[in-house]
Every structure is written in C-alpha cells, then in structure tokens.
Amino acid sequence: MSSPNPRSQWTSNIGFILATAGAAIGLGNLWKFPYLMGRHGGFFFLLLYLVFVLLLGLPVLITEMGIGRRTGKEPVGAYCSLGKGAGFIGVIAALTAFIVLSYYSVIGGWIIKYILSYATTLAPPADFTAYIAQPAEPLLWHLLFMILVAVICTKGTGGIEKASKLMMPALFLCLIILIVRALTLPGAGRGLAFIFTPGESAFSLEAVSAALGQVFYSLSLGMGSAITYGSYLSKKTNIPKDCGKVVALDTLIAIMAGLAIFPAVFAFGKEPGQGPGLVFGTLPDVFSRLTGGPVFALLFFVLMLFAAITSAIALLECLIAFAMDRFHMSRRKAILLLCVLVFAAGIPSSLSFGPLQNATLFGRTFYELMGLLTDNLLMPLGGICMCVYVGWIWGPRVLLEEMEAEGVRFRLKKAWVWCVRVITPALIAVVTVMGFLGMAGIGEG
C-alpha cells in the first residue's frame, strides 16, 4: 500500500510540469548537449539522442515518478518500502544526487562570475583558464550558488514552484532572442547544416555511449529527483502524459540551445566540439564580435543560471527529503547541513582546475573522475537495477495500478512494460559497460 505522505503537494499541474522540466533542463542541455553534438557528428548524435530518449529516458522517468507517488517517500525510503534488499538502489540515487550537486555548484559559481563580470564591465573575465585556476575566488561563487539554491528550497514545494514558474518562461524567452540573433549572422547556415545534416564517419561506439549517457544526465535520471518530485504528486496526475510533456520540453530546449550556439560558432569560424571552453571561452569571444554583444552575453549567462538553479534545487530537494524522512530533521537544519557538506565536497572539483590539476587518477582530475563516476557508472547502474527490480522482481502490475488510478488511462502500458523489462535495461547496460571501460582507460583513442 501507499504510505502516507506528510509533506506538501504540488499546488498545480503546471507548477509540477515546470518544476520537473526545470529539474531536467539544466547545464546538460545548454552546455553539455551542444558540445557533445559538436564532438560526435551533429545530426547523427541528435538522431541517436532522440531514439534513446524514447526507448530509455521516457520509460525510466515514468517509472521513477510512479515509484515516488506510490510510496510517498524519497529515494532510499521509497525503495526500502518496495521490498527487502531494494534499498541500495535508493542509496545509489541519493549518492549520485550529492556528487552531481557538488561539482554542478562549482559550474554554477562560474556562471555567476560571468554574469557579474558582464553586468559591471560589459566583458567576461579576461582569461577563463586563469580564473578557474585560482584557489579562492571560484570557491566564493560556488558557495554563493549553493546559498541561492538553499534559499529557494527553504519554502519547500511552494518555493520550487514559484521559482520554476518564473525561471522556465524566462529561459524560453532568452533562448528565442538568442536564436533569432544567431540565425541573422552571415554564415549561420553552416551551423544549421551541422545540426540537421549527417556528417561523414559519424558512427562510433563512443558516440552511442555518449548519447545514452546524455539522456541520463539531461533528464536527471537515476538521481532521485524524479522520485522525490513524484512523492509530492496527487493521485489525479496523469504520470505518463505529464512525463511525456517534460521529455518533450527537455528535448526542445536542447535543440534550441544548439540553434542558439552553433550558427554563431560557425559564423565566426570557431571549433564546435569543445568542452567547457565552448561556453566560457568560445561564446564570449563570439559575443564580443556582435553588435550589442555584451547584452546578448549577459542574457545567455542569465539563461544558464536559471537552468542551473532549477536543476540544482531538484537535486538538493532530493537530499533534503532524505534527511527529513530518515533522520527526522527540520527542513532548515537539513538544508544547512547539506549545504555545508555539498560545498565541502565541491572544493576538490573546483581546485582540480588549479592547485590540484596535476593530482590525477587514471589520467583524470578529481572533477573529471566525479563526472565519469556519476554519468557513466552510478546513474546507469541505478537505472538498470531499478528496471530489473520493477520489471522482474517487484513486477510492473502495482505501478500500472498506480499510474491508472483515478480513471487515468495509460495507453502505451504494454510498450512501457516491454521497455522496462527488456529494451531499457539492455541500453543502460551499454552505458554501464562503456563507463567501466572508460574508468579503466580501455578503448580510448
């Protein structure tokens, strides 16, 4: 039976959809997706991503939301209530949320630095590489980002809904303005061709693995946030339908980000396949060549901040719910403790670009190892364990009853069961194996 949920519920369906979409729409869409697409063949990567979103992303999101509403608990409590021995799946999710938030907050701090720099000097920091190599200043902005996220979470679901209703429409508006400007640049057509036409020799196992991993990262799967947000749902919510809306919004934003970035990058002859330097190095240089460039740059980094905050509050809320439910802490005490712990855990990631840049394991810095650990190992491992448990041990019947409560019809339930039992875990296994191989440095070219 469903356990009672003493916590508040979402006050509106649109609030829930925007909050959940905000949890999914983050730096994975605006930063990671564009440069992965640039690195792995443009249109080919986009096509792979769309296929995996339907076969992996949507089924997993529906399952996590259903578990959350059925149990009315955070990830660890939710899996513990499903059956003996399932609690470790929730532990994986909570650990993933904690690690991701620790380095995600570091990047959020970089964004704040850029916003303040453009707002006060009409220019970015003089040297991105030199800035992130500093030991102290990036930590200050890392802390400020965590404080902003914490303030929103102090109000619970009400604060999250209000922030999402403000930030998500603003995010769309910012992107539309940037897309219009990018498409008016001479040579922008090369960027569109890069996104929407197949490249030569685009296929590779690395591209397949990257697309699979990006689905997890982009939709915030396996991090417990979907289960936590699902625990705040009313029985009248149509979970499959609303999850479909969230996935559609998330994918739309990722494509829009490509439309805002690549036409401008190609118009000025820049390299599309870079990592963090694409956003924090290349794009500021592109903006500097535009009429009114500082205004567009400021708009872009405000957009980035909104996306980062809405995702970060979902990760923190997952951890807050865990602390409140498992240790009976008040919301404020849980937030204070978690912010201190997350900030401390993020320090090595921040220092990986400066004082600790030569401290490596398997040839990777601490920051790179944390990203590989979460994106390619913990998230897919938690996902495949969830699918096996729900599909073959616990059985999908109970979740189907949950999703069809209050007269809701789940028209694609047979396809969902097939995905959860066979297709999705098989796809996730690819990510997991590739993650282990990558961790060991095998198969790198």
Side-chain angles (χ1 to χ4, degrees), residues 283-334:
L283 286 178
D285 183 40
V286 169
F287 287 130
S288 71
R289 305 184 188 197
L290 296 176
T291 302
V295 175
F296 289 105
L298 182 60
L299 192 66
F300 177 79
F301 283 103
V302 168
L303 157 72
M304 290 278 288
L305 182 63
F306 285 170
I309 287 178
T310 54
S311 293
I313 58 179
L315 295 171
L316 184 59
E317 181 64 21
C318 167
L319 299 172
I320 292 168
F322 170 74
M324 291 173 66
D325 289 359
R326 306 294 289 182
F327 301 105
H328 308 291
M329 301 177 69
S330 69
R331 175 170 284 272
R332 291 184 180 275
K333 287 182 179 179

Side-chain angles (χ1 to χ4, degrees), residues 391-412:
W392 297 101
I393 300 175
W394 191 47
R397 180 183 58 81
V398 180
L399 266 192
L400 286 173
E401 291 175 357
E402 179 65 33
M403 287 184 280
E404 293 190 322
E406 302 289 334
V408 172
R409 291 189 63 190
F410 187 7
R411 299 180 186 276
L412 296 176

Side-chain angles (χ1 to χ4, degrees), residues 9 11 102 181 192 229 271 284 357 363 375 392:
Q9 293 188 340
T11 59
S102 71
R181 183 64 187 97
L192 294 178
Y229 276 17
E271 170 58 43
Q357 62 182 328
D375 297 6
W392 297 101

